[in-house]
Amino acid sequence: MVAEIIINSSVKVLNRIFDYEIPENMNVQIGSRVFVQFGNKKVPDEGIVVGIKEKSEYKVKPILRLQEESIEKENIELAKWMAKRYICNVSDCLKLMLPPGTTSKNIVARVKEKCINLVTLAKDVDEIQEDIDNGKIKSEKQKNVLEFLINNENATVQDIELFTDASRSIVNTLIKNGYLEQVEQKVERNPFLHKVEKRTFDLNLTDEQKTALESIKEKGEYLLFGVTGSGKTEIYLQLIEKALKENKSSIMLVPEISLTPQTVDRFIARFGEEQIAVLHSKLSAGERFDQWNKIKDGRAKIIIGARSAIFAPAVNLGLIIIDEEHDESYKSEMTPRYDAKEVASFLAKQKEIPLVLGSATPDMNSYYKAQKGEITLLTLTKRANNASLPQVEIIDLRNELANGNKSMISKKLQEEIEKNLLVKKQTILFLNRRGFSTFIMCRDCGYTVKCKRCNITMTYHKNENKLKCHYCGYEENIVTECPDCHSKNIKYFGAGTQRLEDEVKSLFPDATTIRMDVDTVSKKNSHEEILDKFRNENIDILIGTQMVVKGHHFPNVTLVGVIAADSSLNLGDFKANEKTFQTLTQVAGRAGRGEYEGRVIVQTYNPDNYAIEYSKIQDYSLFYNTEIELRKQLKYPPFCDIIVIDMSAKNLAELQKVAKNLHTYLKTRVINEKFGLLLYSPVPCPVDKIKDRYRWRMIIKCKYDDRVNNLLTDALNEFIGMKTKTARVNIELNPNNMI
Ligand code: ADP
Ligand code: ZN
Ligand code: ZN
């Protein structure tokens, strides 16, 4: 018999099936992990059996060795589907389904210290891969260590020793050569930070909750749409309990950032720690390995985790829940660039189990599907514990300037902060600052420059002093006078949290403040620690970016100030309004979750924008109806898909050549074969050079079907055929953002 094998490698040309002979007495099956001798290589490569057949048309070598671990047949199916849909290697997808600690030796690592040194990659993954591929790194042990860390972000030296058989000195050499670095981190082998003693029991459901719970049947996709506090989590808990009674496991995905002890504790309080596993990127490789085993053994029947937990080896999976389903973190921005929601949907169909998506502000695509009846809509309209939604007030910043207030904080917000300080209540100031986007706006009338072709806010590029559209590449000179009201009060947006903190300190010198953004949140200071400090030490004012928005519960916070709602309105992205509405609704949800009523102040130059207006009354339907019309007119998702072909190279001329050739290839086929799609010309990326690599991209708007999928796969093969020196091409389906 002959096995069809996929070599465990990210090298694009290896994304094929290779035949190997199955030795007489070797029990090889689909999903078996084996070692084979590949090409002229001295060291055996790992491979995964994806098919078995009578004989091969080639002369084939035998499989060398069979590993104990294997992969479920269903997972092979899933990996093949993913590789096709996301145009990547099957082995890249299979890796997500292997136990943490990819190599042959799966020994349980023991980490004793509370504070340990973690080793992480010091270079870009692609760069390391390149050095491995072109032989710059020769030592097999060094390669093993690097490959291990590419697959397991955080690992201790002990982890590395156990999983790869490399010694500390190999790690030290790699550190010396600049491939790795050491960081210190507090780690607990048991990811449950503290004991939860108090047990909770099923609550008596409200009528709405009851209807929703009873509607969720054996299989199918459901959208549970309910305002924050409407009791979605209680429904999840009771669904999981139902599954447990039938001896089935459940996977619940939550956004990475809200995978806090608070979230997990609610599940521990209901079901106890023994049958719960958590999976997320902050765990060390050893911890992840233990959690993985707990799931695989069937001990943990409740799996709570971030995106990649969808691949957990749940025994007898009976239910998938995706909470905050609109969250961006469900889409992977690394290869394989999968969408966990799509993967969940595939799994739910494959296993004939229900998939429940929950949100207070559903993704436009999900709600559209629900409207069309492709998924079942379940609505919760009331808050379960009778808490009232916070009062939202919109402040028109154009008036502030007219009244001589140049500060980032309006008079009204200043007054409200003062009131809060007096009664010792806490305040959150939220500054939306995504990506690198900066834009210019008239401070008198709120005018921003939009691309005439794409209706997208143009982004300011400092180096060239130009405005550019991130979709089509259209350029314009910057304006110094407002074309609408002729004011010369043009403002460049992009102010940071640091400046905001300075202003707060000078306005309220006696207040205690804490700042949370990418600069203050590092590996050492987790955002969890900052939030704990804010809560426990009763700090007056928390200043932060997106990170403060999600799923936290601060009973003492009664005031939330949104400093500039406009920065998310002008993202240079077709999702700008959707993201603004979601963010504002979520931020508002942070205020007044305790017994005190909450106030929210939203500062903006665009008080008439519908995303802002409807978030004030927290009316999702009104927002959705307006937005969906626009999407339809302008042909944006859900009415089409957006595909981004990312290209990069160390040499600009090389990159331009690749871009031109690929574009010509695609254009010719699109015309000849009458594809009904929109292919834009290649343009430099918004950030057009990262780590010495120039970056260009090409955008396609289309309905992503098999035909387009094949076209793109062919295009990628065309690129591989070009045999370029340093160029890389990545294809991404419906990316989170375009900046
Ligand atoms: P969501 O997940 O939609 O934000 P939760 O499930 O967290 O909502 O519920 C919000 C609050 O209401 C929680 O404190 C929860 O304990 C409470 N709650 C939920 N359902 C009920 C119910 N049926 N009866 C009483 N309180 C409830
Ligand atoms: Zn103006
Ligand atoms: Zn444009």
Side-chain angles (χ1 to χ4, degrees), residues 442-447 482-487:
C442 170
R443 285 189 78 154
D444 288 326
C445 75
Y447 175 89
C482 173
D484 250 24
C485 75
H486 304 289
S487 154

Side-chain angles (χ1 to χ4, degrees), residues 26 83 85 121 193 256 299 317 319 339 355 405 439 462 544 623:
M26 201 183 272
R85 180 161 179 85
L121 297 176
L193 293 179
E256 175 82 47
R299 277 178 291 142
L317 186 64
L319 169 70
D339 181 338
L355 166 63
N405 178 14
F439 61 100
K462 206 169 172 185
F623 169 74

Side-chain angles (χ1 to χ4, degrees), residues 203-206 209 227-234 266 384-385:
L203 298 173
N204 279 330
L205 296 183
T206 62
Q209 282 174 315
V227 290
T228 39
S230 58
K232 296 187 290 296
T233 310
E234 184 61 33
R266 250 181 105 177
N385 57 0

Side-chain angles (χ1 to χ4, degrees), residues 267-280:
F267 288 79
I268 297 180
R270 189 69 56 94
F271 302 109
E273 203 179 284
E274 303 76 43
Q275 36 186 0
I276 297 179
V278 293
L279 285 171
H280 56 85

Side-chain angles (χ1 to χ4, degrees), residues 577-578 581 610-611 614 619-627:
N577 285 313
E578 182 179 6
F581 181 82
Y610 63 94
Y614 296 149
D619 191 327
Y620 179 82
S621 303
L622 275 178
F623 169 74
Y624 173 85
N625 290 335
T626 312
E627 178 71 15

